[in-house]
Amino acid sequence: MLMNSAQPPASAVGVEIDDRLVEDCRRRFHGVAGLEFNHARELENETFRARFDGLVCMEVLEHVVQPDALLDQFHSWLKPGGQLLISVPVETGPPVLVKQTARRIAGWCGLGDYPGTTPYTWSELCRSVFAGAAQHIVRPVHRNADGFESHDHKGFNWRVIEAKIAERFALERTCASPFLWLTPHLGSQAWFVARKHP
């Protein structure tokens, strides 16, 4: 999408943790000038330190077991003054009730595939609706056969991530989607625009 915008970047790197997705993107977008795709492990070396003017991370941090480490990596990859754009789902407040209802109905209808989706107890759901800025319930950790660990959406609190971003970056803006006039407390997603200090 960035490469097709009115002012595309001179170059862009797509990053994934699944080799099949990396190969699929390389095949589908072969020939797009300035665009490359890498596995995340390929970006862990020093050659990517302070390389990027901007980073976009969409719908990832809610699944990361150690978000501090990933945010620190983002900080190292960005040039001084570089911009960071992050989106995460809102899984607290009234939106969690709407989302859990939609997931339950979809499951009953056999729609969608929600593997690794952990159900809430009534107590956990109540704590999620009234969650503050601190982690409000214990988040389950799922382990794949290869040992890779991840979270599902249960218990994700966008305000915890917002605080972690603000610890490392200059947080310029927090907004919501699908409508900018909504606050993240009522939206489907929270968006953070931040900048690495010069």
Side-chain angles (χ1 to χ4, degrees):
M1 288 173 16
L2 285 172
M3 300 309 275
N4 288 330
S5 66
Q7 295 180 322
S11 63
V13 178
V15 179
E16 257 296 344
I17 60 170
D18 186 321
D19 287 317
R20 293 170 301 168
L21 291 175
V22 172
E23 289 307 316
D24 178 59
C25 287
R26 285 176 177 168
R27 184 177 57 257
R28 286 190 297 126
F29 297 102
H30 176 74
V32 176
L35 181 60
E36 64 180 86
F37 293 91
N38 296 98
H39 191 284
R41 66 177 168 267
E42 298 171 30
L43 284 105
E44 294 175 358
N45 60 49
E46 288 297 311
T47 61
F48 290 94
R49 183 168 295 283
R51 174 178 170 183
F52 300 105
D53 294 311
L55 290 172
V56 178
C57 178
M58 296 177 60
E59 306 302 300
V60 172
L61 288 177
E62 67 273 19
H63 301 294
V64 177
V65 174
Q66 297 178 338
D68 290 291
L70 187 57
L71 288 169
D72 288 342
Q73 197 164 43
F74 289 170
H75 193 273
S76 75
W77 291 344
L78 275 175
K79 293 178 181 177
Q83 192 170 53
L84 178 64
L85 176 64
I86 292 177
S87 74
V88 295
V90 175
E91 296 287 334
T92 56
V96 74
L97 294 176
V98 174
K99 289 180 178 188
Q100 284 303 105
T101 301
R103 289 171 183 143
R104 182 64 57 98
I105 292 170
W108 290 337
C109 296
L111 301 172
D113 180 18
Y114 296 98
T117 300
T118 310
Y120 286 80
T121 65
W122 283 110
S123 173
E124 290 170 334
L125 190 57
C126 185
R127 288 198 305 272
S128 294
V129 170
F130 297 102
Q135 188 55 44
H136 54 287
I137 63 173
V138 174
R139 299 194 66 205
V141 176
H142 302 279
R143 289 175 185 84
N144 294 350
D146 63 0
F148 180 78
E149 295 182 338
S150 65
H151 289 300
D152 59 19
H153 286 196
K154 180 181 178 179
F156 178 72
N157 189 332
W158 65 271
R159 293 175 69 187
V160 172
I161 291 297
E162 180 183 44
K164 290 178 182 294
I165 293 167
E167 288 172 4
R168 293 163 175 81
F169 302 90
L171 183 58
E172 297 178 341
R173 186 171 180 202
T174 298
C175 55
S177 65
F179 306 107
L180 286 176
W181 49 266
L182 283 175
T183 68
H185 300 284
L186 298 174
S188 175
Q189 292 172 294
W191 291 80
F192 310 109
V193 179
R195 193 170 298 278
K196 183 174 178 177
H197 297 285

